[in-house]
Amino acid sequence: MFVDSPAMSRDVEVHVLLPRERNHARPTVYMLDGRAANPTSNNWTEQGHAEEFFEDKDVNVVLTVGGPASFYTDWQQPDPVLGTNRWETFLTKELPPLIDAKFEGNGRNAVMGVSMGAEAAMMLAFRQPQLYVAVAGHSGCFSMGTDFGQTQARAIVATYRGQPDNMFGKQNDPAWLAHDVMLNAEALRGKAIYLSVGSGLPGEYDTPDNPEIVSTIGFGGPLEAATNLCTQRLAERFAALGIPVTSHFRLTGTHSWPYWRDELARSWPTVSRALGVA
């Protein structure tokens, strides 16, 4: 569907998966893509097999389309290359009432994402705590306000030739701290939280018959090792605050979709219980 978004100053495409039986209200799961978000699809369906997984689930599923290197947040300025990014406003203010009205949503929502989308999901969940009852983040980093976290975020924006200052301003702008999950973790208390990450070592899907083995091991291995450290720190932060979290730290696995496809199924019990569905 295409949604007229005043915030984004354009029609925004989203994909919606619906159950076969639509004679009653149901929760909604919002699914965010990674850095290389496709302009015409979402990798949760293209590579994560979301259509097959949700075929028998009594939920609406809303998938973002586009938004590469955007962190699905509200940028301070339009970007000459990446355009107007006001994703937080679109995803949390403009879109949910329309989804609930058109597709029998009952107002209970969850959000999940991978890589860049994992950090974005956690950011949306703590910045809009009234909207989501559950959040799942797979292979993300979560400390936007630190020097390391900001450097990482700026590098992601730069890979798509965007100007990082257009997102949250100069290095000392307080907006960076306002989007730091670690710093604002207390706001996630009471939500169902699922975290997952691999170690970066080659795993069951990093085999010679994988046509992308060179990139998954050479690039995805070190990247997953870095997100492993990020995820450990967030899990420790939740533990220090006494906030329950379900986590899965895999002993192997690279930064790639076969592992995230598996994590969709592993995270579902945590998410579905919070949503009140089987």
Side-chain angles (χ1 to χ4, degrees), residues 162-199:
Q163 297 296 320
D165 284 357
N166 289 328
M167 185 163 68
F168 297 143
K170 300 294 184 183
Q171 184 174 5
N172 60 349
D173 194 301
W176 292 95
L177 296 176
H179 292 81
D180 189 299
V181 181
M182 292 275 288
L183 188 63
N184 296 279
E186 176 62 38
L188 291 167
R189 186 180 297 277
K191 302 188 185 308
I193 303 169
Y194 185 93
L195 295 173
S196 79
V197 69
S199 68

Side-chain angles (χ1 to χ4, degrees), residues 98-171:
L98 299 177
I99 294 295
D100 288 352
K102 187 171 182 62
F103 301 119
E104 304 88 32
N106 66 5
R108 291 183 69 82
N109 304 297
V111 59
M112 63 175 64
V114 297
S115 193
M116 177 195 80
E119 187 168 12
M122 291 289 174
M123 285 195 294
L124 292 179
F126 86 71
R127 288 176 59 80
Q128 305 292 336
Q130 76 290 344
L131 187 60
Y132 306 105
V133 298
V135 55
H138 309 294
S139 302
C141 277
F142 307 98
S143 54
M144 188 78 75
T146 65
D147 289 343
F148 172 79
Q150 185 177 151
T151 299
Q152 169 253 351
R154 286 178 174 274
I156 287 175
V157 174
T159 61
Y160 273 76
R161 297 181 293 112
Q163 297 296 320
D165 284 357
N166 289 328
M167 185 163 68
F168 297 143
K170 300 294 184 183
Q171 184 174 5

Side-chain angles (χ1 to χ4, degrees), residues 184-220:
N184 296 279
E186 176 62 38
L188 291 167
R189 186 180 297 277
K191 302 188 185 308
I193 303 169
Y194 185 93
L195 295 173
S196 79
V197 69
S199 68
L201 296 174
E204 59 185 302
Y205 297 113
D206 306 302
T207 55
D209 59 342
N210 181 346
E212 299 179 352
I213 187 172
V214 173
S215 63
T216 57
I217 292 180
F219 176 73

Side-chain angles (χ1 to χ4, degrees), residues 139-141 148 197-201 216-217 219-232 249-250 252-255:
S139 302
C141 277
F148 172 79
V197 69
S199 68
L201 296 174
T216 57
I217 292 180
F219 176 73
L223 185 55
E224 191 72 356
T227 59
N228 183 288
L229 180 60
C230 294
T231 305
Q232 286 188 42
F249 288 86
R250 299 186 304 277
T252 60
T254 55
H255 202 76

Side-chain angles (χ1 to χ4, degrees), residues 80-101:
V81 175
L82 298 178
T84 298
N85 287 302
R86 303 286 296 176
W87 284 99
E88 180 178 329
T89 297
F90 174 70
L91 290 170
T92 66
K93 302 289 196 241
E94 296 177 340
L95 186 58
L98 299 177
I99 294 295
D100 288 352

